[in-house]
Amino acid sequence: MKLVLLVAFLGIITAILNPTTTLQGATTGLNTWLYGLVPTLLPFMIVSNFILSKEISQALFTCLPKGLQSHYRKVCIAFNIIAGFTFGLPIGAKITSTLLKNQCIDRQEGQILLNHCNAIGPSFVGGFFLTKCLHKSQWLPFTFALLYLPQLFGVLLCLRRHKSNIKEPITHQKIKISRLKNCFQILDISIVNGFETIAILGGYLILFGILCAYIARIPIIPYSVKAYLIAVMEITSGTRELSYLPISAAYKFTLILPLITFGGLCTLLQTKSITKGCPLSMRSYLLHKGIYSFLTAIIISIGLFILC
């Protein structure tokens, strides 16, 4: 605790003494949040908060035929998997946390979904990484397969192994929707929760934007090392910096994609904040991110060696 306070105090002093660098980093983080996360994540956060609220979820559950109600858990898991790979992190972690709190899945299922289905979204990979940074949009199918298929196979395998360990099905809680708590009030709560979540993500992006700005100003470290460190801290700024390296697109791809698979420390802290209050292990999540990042690096290196 004392070390954390000391680091925070030194950080505040450094920020005060270097206002230009601090402002530059904060602006970069704010722009990434405002023009990247808010338009792409906030609408889905609001919709998912509304659908996954206990009242609406129960209403949807009761509308299902009797034969499908017994498969409600599978529907929730499938929704979590699809959303986690489609909309990008930390949406997967947010949905997992909500489903776990609503007792739609058990703790082990939540841990499996968190470990495998909280990935960088296709819009970032295809639009920013491949098109804007590498100018290699034709690599899109191969990149998606390399990035998402191992995690998809991993989550399906783990869920299949877990199925035999389920002793009793989790029954959906019966909740009566009060007349006062109508759909519009639930929507209002969903909007407030969405803005609260997106504000937390923005705070981390601003802090890491400042940190990356100071890393970029260290004079004794080579540019390539600084770019790599920035990518480990915050993946958007790091991807941009690594794309400026004077190497071929293939080598940039080999260097950047494993880092995208990992996601960066900023997204790790965002995920931890999103899942606060849930019995989910961040050590297990970090371990799986490291394994998938290492696996991606091995596959790309082998492919590059064969082609070259």
Side-chain angles (χ1 to χ4, degrees):
M1 188 65 182
K2 293 181 179 180
L3 179 60
V4 174
L5 292 175
L6 178 61
V7 172
F9 177 76
L10 294 176
I12 293 173
I13 297 299
T14 303
I16 294 174
L17 296 178
N18 299 274
T20 303
T21 304
T22 303
L23 178 61
Q24 178 186 352
T27 302
T28 301
L30 182 61
N31 287 335
T32 302
W33 173 76
L34 182 60
Y35 298 107
L37 262 65
V38 173
T40 57
L41 296 187
L42 181 57
F44 184 77
M45 283 184 177
I46 295 173
V47 173
S48 63
N49 286 339
F50 181 78
I51 294 176
L52 296 176
S53 64
K54 291 184 177 181
E55 296 81 7
I56 300 301
S57 180
Q58 171 61 22
L60 293 174
F61 175 76
T62 54
C63 291
L64 292 175
K66 293 295 184 180
L68 293 179
Q69 289 184 357
S70 59
H71 298 287
Y72 187 77
R73 177 204 299 270
K74 295 180 180 179
V75 174
C76 293
I77 291 175
F79 175 69
N80 199 157
I81 293 173
I82 294 172
F85 288 130
T86 303
F87 294 94
L89 54 80
I91 289 294
K94 174 64 175 177
I95 294 176
T96 300
S97 175
T98 303
L99 291 176
L100 191 55
K101 289 178 180 178
N102 291 347
Q103 297 183 348
C104 296
I105 57 177
D106 62 30
R107 188 199 65 80
Q108 189 172 348
E109 287 171 335
Q111 188 66 60
I112 292 172
L113 292 170
L114 177 67
N115 292 343
H116 302 275
C117 303
N118 193 44
I120 295 289
S123 60
F124 176 89
V125 177
F128 181 73
F129 171 49
L130 290 178
T131 303
K132 188 174 181 180
C133 293
L134 295 189
H135 308 289
K136 294 291 183 181
S137 57
Q138 65 271 24
W139 293 358
L140 192 63
F142 169 73
T143 304
F144 280 3
L146 188 60
L147 185 62
Y148 298 120
L149 283 182
Q151 298 182 65
L152 179 59
F153 289 147
V155 68
L156 294 178
L157 178 62
C158 290
L159 288 173
R160 184 175 182 179
R161 293 178 58 186
H162 172 65
K163 184 186 302 184
S164 61
N165 297 327
I166 299 177
K167 297 180 179 179
E168 296 180 359
I170 298 178
T171 56
H172 202 279
Q173 293 181 346
K174 294 183 178 181
I175 300 172
K176 294 182 178 180
I177 302 178
S178 172
R179 292 181 179 179
L180 296 177
K181 195 172 185 181
N182 52 36
C183 290
F184 291 104
Q185 290 174 318
I186 297 173
L187 181 60
D188 289 343
I189 296 173
S190 301
I191 293 173
V192 171
N193 291 340
F195 271 97
E196 180 182 0
T197 302
I198 205 73
I200 293 173
L201 303 185
Y204 280 108
L205 278 174
I206 291 173
L207 290 176
F208 274 85
I210 296 172
L211 177 60
C212 291
Y214 279 98
I215 293 176
R217 292 296 183 93
I218 301 176
I220 60 175
I221 301 179
Y223 175 78
S224 58
V225 177
K226 289 190 289 188
Y228 190 85
L229 288 175
I230 291 174
V232 172
M233 294 296 167
E234 202 280 301
I235 192 60
T236 303
S237 300
T239 299
R240 185 187 302 111
E241 295 297 325
L242 287 172
S243 68
Y244 296 148
L245 292 176
I247 56 178
S248 67
Y251 284 105
K252 292 178 183 178
F253 182 85
T254 305
L255 184 63
I256 297 174
L257 192 61
L259 293 171
I260 289 179
T261 305
F262 177 72
L265 295 179
C266 181
T267 59
L268 176 65
L269 292 180
Q270 289 174 341
T271 300
K272 181 176 177 59
S273 177
I274 290 295
T275 58
K276 182 174 60 178
C278 292
L280 298 172
S281 171
M282 293 308 299
R283 289 185 179 180
S284 178
Y285 172 74
L286 181 60
L287 175 62
H288 281 79
K289 280 296 180 184
I291 291 174
Y292 282 122
S293 180
F294 180 74
L295 180 62
T296 302
I298 293 296
I299 296 175
I300 297 177
S301 300
I302 294 174
L304 189 63
F305 176 79
I306 295 174
L307 294 175
C308 296

